[in-house]
Amino acid sequence: MNTNHPIAPQVVSKQAASRRIVEVAKEIHADITKKHKKPSMKFPIRSLANVKYDTKRGHFEILNKTATRTLSYNTVKTFAQSMRLLATTKNDLLDKDDIAGKRELYYNSKSWGECRFDEQPESDTLLDDIEAMLGINREQLGYIPEERGGDVAGPLTVLDIDPSNGKDIKIECAKLGSGAWSIPSRVEHLRFASKAKFILAVETASLFQRLVHHRYFEKANCILISMSGVPTRACRRFIRRLADDQKIPVLAFTDGDPYGYCNIYRTLKVGSGQAAHINRYFCVPQVHYLGVTPQDIIDYGLEDATHPLEEADIKRAKDALKNDPFIQHHKEWQQALEQMLKMGVRIEQQAFAKHGLNYVLEKYLPEKIKKGKFLP
Amino acid sequence: MAKRTSAVGETAESMARRQREISVSEFFLKNRHLLGFDSPRRALMTAVKEAVDNSLDACEEAGILPEIMVELEQTGDNRFRVTVTDNGPGIVKTQIPKIFAKLLYGSKFHRLRMSRGQQGIGISAAGMYGQLTTGSATVIRSRTKGSPAAHQISVQIDTRQNKPTILSDVSVAWTPTFPAGSGDGNEGDPVTYKHGTSVSIEMEAAYVRGKLSVDEFLKQCAIVNPHLSLHYAVTLKKPAKGDAEGEAPADSIRQSFLRAVKKLPPAAQEIMPHPHGVELGMLMQMLKDTESRTVRSALASDFSRISQQTALDICVAAKVDPKARPDKLGPGEIEAVYKTIQQTKLMRPPTDCLAPIGEEEILAGLKKEIDADFYTSVTRDPTVYRGNPFQIEVGMAYAKPQSDEDLNNENPVRLLRFANRVPLLYMGGACSITKAMTGVNWKAYGLAQPKGALPLGPVVVSVHMASVWVPFTSESKDAIANYPEIIQEITLALQECGRRLSINISKRKREAEAERKRGYIEKYIPHLATGLKDILSLPDKDKTKIEGDLKKMLEKTHLEV
């Protein structure tokens, strides 16, 4: 199940996760009844201010800044909820080998009386805290994300397991007609077989549809993945495992705007500040950026297919230049962002339709791939 | 063209034929609002107030712990008989008619001494009002100590001549009697005294309840006179249809406010007027009336704080012969003396002439009437306005929740105004006390306060002004005139009480906050324990221990006030 990649993420068994929860609880119990001091929980701070770009490993690694939540009047409710959440996680999910969605967790708390979560964001945040505190990502604790993981099409055979009998299920991602295969929320158990030369991750579903419709993956011999915006954890993990397993490069194709660069691409490659404690599992350090770059606007004569940068775009770009360790590490990205700010425009993937609907797959992609010059 | 009116043809002589003296009684008959008799409802109040004031003054002056009975008996649709009985020293027979049926007759106007009554108008005016509206007479019964019987005299006032007309004068076997439970007597037995006075007036009146009522006046009277035992009885006529004999009255009140302290207020001393409070015209009158033979001795003996030496200095500075006869001074010379006096530094008037209620007694009065968790009071040192000594006292009570439906956080505080121990109910807006009250920044003391208005909150504030001469805005004695010195003193006393109140309010807030926090903590601790119990598979007794330990821990750091 594990890959042979040198920095493969740690996979925690359910028993180990369960033991970790017991350890935390024992410590708190001892604080209260033996040491007679207020118990506390320690969390790594999850923000861009507490990550560094680990160039050797190729992702954002969390630093050692932590926040301590000591039991007090202000924290007593969250503290109680944390204990009940840990109890549920251990007793109902890990020990019973079950799974639950974030929303199910929220509704499950309705049986806790006054301790219940009033809104789902409360339980989501607490779950993030607990994941960080335990150092175990929530998928391994049995929580499944609600969002879709992304779509896959192309010359790839995925070997999945039938949960009812444990037998292999073979999925041919090139033989799904005009449809695609959906990445499941847990991908650790998947195995792969492919002769593709690279993986192309695209931002929008509509461009993905166009590429699938014209069977671009056959012409280019690549695996197409649709991310639909910022890639989910499962999508990132899937790309990472697939790329590691097949030892093939990954290219990203997004809208040419600060969101596409600094949120979608950056998160895919090195992870995010929010999920800093688990970036090591959810990043694809080998990905490179294909486009659309600001230079492409000039090179492909698309100046009249652009939109002016909005205030939020400008703010995002400037913020990234100032605070994002990844951008700060790469001169090329700083130049690209500065060029974009100077031009004052952004561009969408679909803008190539100016030159004809299929210009993007007939001219742009082949040219860019042939040239082989990508942003880091 | 209109015919010329006869008025134009008047001559000095024809006009002179119509010019004649107006008696004080006639004047007030036409201007009864000045005396507080402008409506039937207010007339009832004023009559009670004047009679009670007189009774209290008489008792205190005679060194008797006062016991007073106020009876209101409805005699017609809008007629009442007001009877006020006291255990005072009684009144000598020959004085009775003048006291009760001659305006501006009395013992209090001519001297500077702290008392409730000032002008000698009140009770006669009440009798005059009764006479005017019902045609009846004022009936007085009085018995002095040691006399074998009481006098019963019916008088009316001759309004033209401002002079009493005696309708009857008989000896009766009457002793003032008060209901049981009056503090001094045995429980159950009515209490009788060998001396006392009762005045009874029938008048057009309306009985109401509420803020501006006799009920409220008497209640406040009891607060501000904690040494008074006060009995109150109202008998209303039942509706016409159920007018059968022997039936209980349709509506009645029997109430007693018992005394809270058994000590009479110290007797107030009489003082000479202070020169700085005297106006030019009054100075002229005083120099004319003096018994002294020289200006110097007149100044020294008829005023307070002028010694023989100071009197000489004043005369020299005013270029007036100190040995001149005072009644022979010319207007220019008197004015020079007056101006010199104003420029002369003099000691402030003596202040031992004031008899404040006292901080303890204010608290006793408030406690008797209002159920509160917090009481405080301040008696300021005496000071002076326009040469008149005065003293301000403030009491404050923060009512218990639900002790009184009007006292809450949405309503303005209840402000009780008193002057020389008399409650002031009307014309609050024109009064210095209200002005000082709204001028204080109550937000600083933890009470909400709309701009320029009374603060809000379940608070009772009583403000008392004691003075040898309370400057009322009118003869009905409802509002204290706005002298800056008076407002300043009231403000300082209110602020002092405010500071104490705010300490109490913030303590209360802290306690409420701690209580709220306790509830919050106790709500979640069991859940925390349940979580630990479920994870570690602990027995129930461990869960109980966790809960106990946590409560102890959190209460120690978060709930200590």
Side-chain angles (χ1 to χ4, degrees):
Chain A
M1 213 159 89
N2 211 336
T3 68
N4 54 3
H5 195 277
I7 49 159
Q10 175 197 10
V11 173
V12 183
S13 73
K14 299 204 167 191
Q15 290 78 7
S18 185
R19 276 198 302 276
R20 179 88 185 90
I21 290 175
V22 171
E23 273 168 37
V24 169
K26 267 189 179 155
E27 207 171 306
I28 289 171
H29 185 228
D31 278 349
I32 298 169
T33 57
K34 300 210 175 68
K35 296 183 191 160
H36 297 290
K37 67 172 199 181
K38 288 182 188 165
S40 57
M41 294 185 283
K42 222 182 215 182
F43 309 96
I45 290 174
R46 294 172 286 119
S47 81
L48 274 191
N50 192 34
V51 296
K52 68 163 192 205
Y53 180 36
D54 184 333
T55 46
K56 213 166 98 197
R57 296 182 184 183
H59 64 82
F60 277 172
E61 185 57 54
I62 192 155
L63 297 175
N64 49 13
K65 282 186 211 162
T66 54
T68 305
R69 181 177 293 156
T70 304
L71 180 65
S72 71
Y73 165 74
N74 289 319
T75 61
V76 65
K77 182 177 182 186
T78 325
F79 224 99
Q81 287 174 329
S82 303
M83 290 307 119
R84 298 218 59 159
L85 181 57
L86 284 173
T88 303
T89 306
K90 176 186 172 288
N91 296 346
D92 297 343
L93 299 185
L94 295 173
D95 295 356
K96 288 187 185 149
D97 194 15
D98 204 347
I99 54 167
K102 282 165 140 188
R103 190 136 190 93
E104 286 173 314
L105 164 68
Y106 159 68
Y107 282 120
N108 184 251
S109 83
K110 295 296 183 190
S111 69
W112 300 349
E114 290 132 344
C115 201
R116 77 183 84 85
F117 297 111
D118 294 327
E119 300 289 340
Q120 198 192 327
E122 287 176 37
S123 57
D124 288 358
T125 309
L126 197 58
L127 190 57
D128 287 349
D129 285 347
I130 285 189
E131 171 177 66
M133 176 177 71
L134 297 174
I136 303 169
N137 59 299
R138 61 172 174 259
E139 287 78 0
Q140 302 199 67
L141 294 174
Y143 292 101
I144 49 168
E146 315 283 324
E147 69 263 30
R148 291 173 56 226
D151 293 334
V152 182
L156 167 69
T157 307
V158 178
L159 286 170
D160 201 346
I161 298 164
D162 185 336
S164 58
N165 54 23
K167 283 186 181 162
D168 283 353
I169 293 176
K170 209 186 250 185
I171 301 145
E172 294 289 348
C173 295
K175 293 180 179 169
L176 299 168
S178 51
W181 177 70
S182 267
I183 299 170
S185 56
R186 286 170 54 84
V187 300
E188 301 300 331
H189 58 286
L190 301 177
R191 284 160 297 151
F192 311 107
S194 175
K195 291 203 167 85
K197 286 194 290 183
F198 66 98
I199 300 165
L200 181 64
V202 300
E203 175 182 342
T204 60
S206 74
L207 189 74
F208 178 80
Q209 289 292 327
R210 171 161 299 281
L211 298 179
V212 172
H213 185 78
H214 294 282
R215 300 192 75 76
Y216 173 77
F217 54 80
E218 283 176 359
K219 280 171 228 160
N221 192 18
C222 68
I223 300 164
L224 291 172
I225 296 175
S226 162
M227 299 183 287
S228 305
V230 176
T232 61
R233 288 178 176 198
C235 182
R236 280 181 270 159
R237 186 79 190 119
F238 176 82
I239 297 174
R240 169 69 175 280
R241 288 206 61 229
L242 180 57
D244 282 356
D245 192 57
Q246 299 297 313
K247 299 188 178 60
I248 48 173
V250 185
L251 294 174
F253 181 25
T254 71
D255 284 343
D257 58 25
Y259 187 76
Y261 301 160
C262 307
N263 292 62
I264 298 174
Y265 176 69
R266 201 279 326 274
T267 304
L268 176 65
K269 186 169 173 103
V270 299
S272 66
Q274 215 359 258
H277 54 296
I278 41 158
N279 278 339
R280 56 185 175 277
Y281 311 129
F282 303 110
C283 62
V284 186
Q286 55 268 68
V287 67
H288 284 84
Y289 190 76
L290 179 143
V292 186
T293 65
Q295 187 58 40
D296 287 341
I297 299 173
I298 300 159
D299 294 349
Y300 290 88
L302 295 169
E303 289 90 341
D304 50 357
T306 58
H307 301 276
L309 284 177
E310 285 176 19
E311 207 140 307
D313 294 321
I314 296 167
K315 188 178 172 292
R316 200 186 296 280
K318 288 187 171 163
D319 205 42
L321 282 167
K322 209 173 135 207
N323 298 321
D324 191 320
F326 172 74
I327 302 290
Q328 282 172 333
H329 184 264
H330 291 292
K331 266 218 173 68
E332 295 93 325
W333 273 115
Q334 291 163 31
Q335 281 161 1
L337 281 170
E338 270 154 15
Q339 187 182 7
M340 170 163 282
L341 285 170
K342 206 169 147 199
M343 290 164 71
V345 292
R346 62 185 173 86
I347 184 154
E348 292 176 6
Q349 292 184 305
Q350 290 89 334
F352 295 100
K354 174 195 170 191
H355 300 304
L357 292 174
N358 289 323
Y359 181 87
V360 64
L361 59 104
E362 284 163 1
K363 192 90 194 273
Y364 176 71
L365 286 175
E367 256 186 43
K368 286 286 281 192
I369 291 162
K370 197 175 163 206
K371 216 190 272 173
K373 272 197 75 183
F374 307 112
L375 283 171
Chain B
M1 186 169 277
K3 202 182 165 189
R4 294 179 113 196
T5 58
S6 61
V8 178
E10 293 279 4
T11 63
E13 289 71 25
S14 71
M15 284 162 82
R17 277 196 294 280
R18 284 203 312 276
Q19 289 162 349
R20 61 176 177 82
E21 193 186 358
I22 305 158
S23 91
V24 210
S25 320
E26 284 179 303
F27 173 76
F28 280 124
L29 198 51
K30 284 197 170 170
N31 292 291
R32 50 171 134 156
H33 57 276
L34 293 180
L35 298 175
F37 291 94
D38 43 351
S39 70
R41 164 180 166 177
R42 196 164 167 204
L44 188 69
M45 232 281 309
T46 306
V48 168
K49 174 177 156 151
E50 297 296 347
V52 169
D53 286 359
N54 286 351
S55 293
L56 281 167
D57 277 347
C59 288
E60 285 169 17
E61 209 169 328
I64 298 165
L65 267 178
E67 180 140 14
I68 296 176
M69 171 90 185
V70 174
E71 293 161 280
L72 305 181
E73 187 195 348
Q74 190 169 20
T75 54
D77 280 348
N78 42 17
R79 268 196 195 191
F80 278 82
R81 172 162 287 283
V82 179
T83 307
V84 176
T85 309
D86 65 48
N87 64 339
I91 303 166
V92 176
K93 182 184 164 189
T94 50
Q95 289 296 326
I96 291 174
K98 285 183 192 160
I99 288 174
F100 291 95
K102 183 174 170 64
L103 291 185
L104 295 173
Y105 186 90
S107 57
K108 300 164 192 169
F109 187 77
H110 297 281
R111 49 183 191 172
L112 282 176
R113 183 177 181 279
M114 184 184 154
S115 61
R116 293 173 180 79
Q118 288 184 172
Q119 295 108 327
I121 296 179
I123 194 65
S124 315
M128 190 170 77
Y129 173 81
Q131 178 183 335
L132 176 77
T133 52
T134 67
S136 60
T138 304
V139 181
I140 301 104
R141 287 192 277 194
S142 188
R143 183 169 178 155
T144 52
K145 202 174 176 183
S147 60
H151 314 292
Q152 177 170 314
I153 299 179
S154 297
V155 283
Q156 285 197 329
I157 188 165
D158 178 343
T159 54
R160 278 280 170 81
Q161 299 184 50
N162 183 22
K163 154 178 143 178
T165 310
I166 298 167
L167 303 182
S168 73
D169 179 353
V170 291
S171 255
V172 289
W174 173 81
T175 47
T177 305
F178 300 94
S182 52
D184 297 317
N186 294 324
E187 195 69 30
D189 292 334
V191 183
T192 60
Y193 291 88
K194 291 197 164 59
H195 47 82
T197 304
S198 150
V199 55
S200 184
I201 302 168
E202 191 173 12
M203 58 170 63
E204 188 181 302
Y207 172 77
V208 291
R209 296 198 169 136
K211 270 189 172 175
L212 302 175
S213 64
V214 176
D215 303 9
E216 181 67 23
F217 173 80
L218 293 177
K219 191 177 172 192
Q220 291 192 19
C221 241
I223 294 176
V224 82
N225 295 290
H227 59 293
L228 162 70
S229 266
L230 181 62
H231 310 279
Y232 179 39
V234 181
T235 309
L236 296 182
K237 225 179 146 189
K238 49 196 171 294
K241 61 180 168 71
D243 211 356
E245 213 174 306
E247 265 183 40
D251 201 353
S252 66
I253 293 178
R254 296 283 178 277
Q255 205 175 354
S256 284
F257 303 93
L258 299 185
R259 69 173 57 95
V261 295
K262 289 191 176 175
K263 202 178 74 188
L264 267 174
Q269 302 300 314
E270 187 176 342
I271 57 162
M272 292 299 181
H274 191 270
H276 284 170
V278 170
E279 277 160 357
L280 180 58
M282 191 171 165
L283 181 65
M284 287 174 171
Q285 190 63 47
M286 286 177 75
L287 289 176
K288 208 171 145 195
D289 294 348
T290 184
E291 288 165 6
S292 305
R293 296 184 179 195
T294 66
V295 178
R296 182 183 174 183
S297 65
L299 288 176
S301 58
D302 290 4
F303 291 95
S304 62
R305 300 308 194 207
I306 296 186
S307 63
Q308 288 288 343
Q309 182 57 47
T310 313
L312 182 65
D313 294 348
I314 291 171
C315 291
V316 171
K319 299 192 171 68
V320 169
D321 179 5
K323 292 193 181 107
R325 282 176 61 99
D327 54 344
K328 293 285 188 275
L329 284 189
E333 287 172 305
I334 298 180
E335 198 170 341
V337 170
Y338 175 76
K339 280 187 179 158
T340 311
I341 288 175
Q342 299 309 310
Q343 286 156 12
T344 309
K345 273 201 172 174
L346 296 170
M347 274 179 75
R348 288 148 76 88
T351 48
D352 55 0
C353 52
L354 298 173
I357 303 170
E359 295 183 348
E360 294 287 319
E361 288 77 6
I362 293 174
L363 293 184
L366 280 174
K367 278 177 186 159
K368 203 167 68 166
E369 296 308 323
I370 293 138
D371 193 13
D373 314 309
F374 169 76
Y375 299 90
T376 189
S377 61
V378 163
T379 296
R380 299 272 310 162
D381 285 337
T383 179
V384 173
Y385 80 93
R386 280 197 43 210
N388 295 311
F390 75 101
Q391 196 164 8
I392 295 297
E393 298 179 281
V394 168
M396 214 175 260
Y398 197 98
K400 283 200 168 115
Q402 277 91 45
S403 62
D404 182 326
E405 58 183 87
D406 288 340
L407 293 176
N408 57 46
N409 281 317
E410 278 74 50
N411 281 349
V413 302
R414 185 179 296 163
L415 175 61
L416 311 179
R417 298 175 293 128
F418 303 100
N420 284 356
R421 294 175 183 256
V422 179
L424 310 178
L425 296 192
Y426 283 88
M427 290 177 63
C431 186
S432 284
I433 292 176
T434 312
K435 202 169 170 196
M437 187 76 188
T438 53
V440 168
N441 177 17
W442 291 99
K443 281 179 190 155
Y445 307 125
L447 294 179
Q449 184 180 25
K451 209 175 178 191
L454 288 176
L456 310 179
V459 179
V460 176
V461 179
S462 74
V463 180
H464 178 231
M465 173 174 178
S467 179
V468 294
W469 189 262
V470 178
F472 287 113
T473 56
S474 84
E475 286 68 24
S476 59
K477 300 199 276 190
D478 293 311
I480 299 171
N482 292 340
Y483 283 98
E485 298 92 336
I486 298 175
I487 291 178
Q488 165 82 357
E489 275 300 303
I490 300 173
T491 302
L492 290 173
L494 286 172
Q495 286 171 337
E496 175 62 32
C497 284
R499 279 189 286 277
R500 296 180 195 167
L501 178 70
S502 80
I503 291 168
N504 180 267
I505 288 178
S506 47
K507 187 173 153 227
R508 242 171 231 259
K509 279 185 183 158
R510 282 200 307 279
E511 279 167 0
E513 177 68 7
E515 196 45 49
R516 198 181 60 73
K517 282 187 171 178
R518 183 193 312 278
Y520 185 78
I521 289 171
E522 284 179 0
K523 193 152 85 173
Y524 293 112
I525 280 178
H527 288 284
L528 205 166
T530 303
L532 284 177
K533 178 191 158 210
D534 289 353
I535 297 169
L536 302 172
S537 312
L538 300 171
D540 279 348
K541 69 169 172 53
D542 281 26
K543 179 178 180 253
T544 316
K545 177 167 165 48
I546 293 172
E547 287 177 13
D549 287 355
L550 282 175
K551 261 180 214 169
K552 234 183 281 168
M553 227 181 263
L554 289 177
E555 286 186 3
K556 209 163 146 193
T557 47
H558 291 280
L559 302 179
E560 277 173 12
V561 184

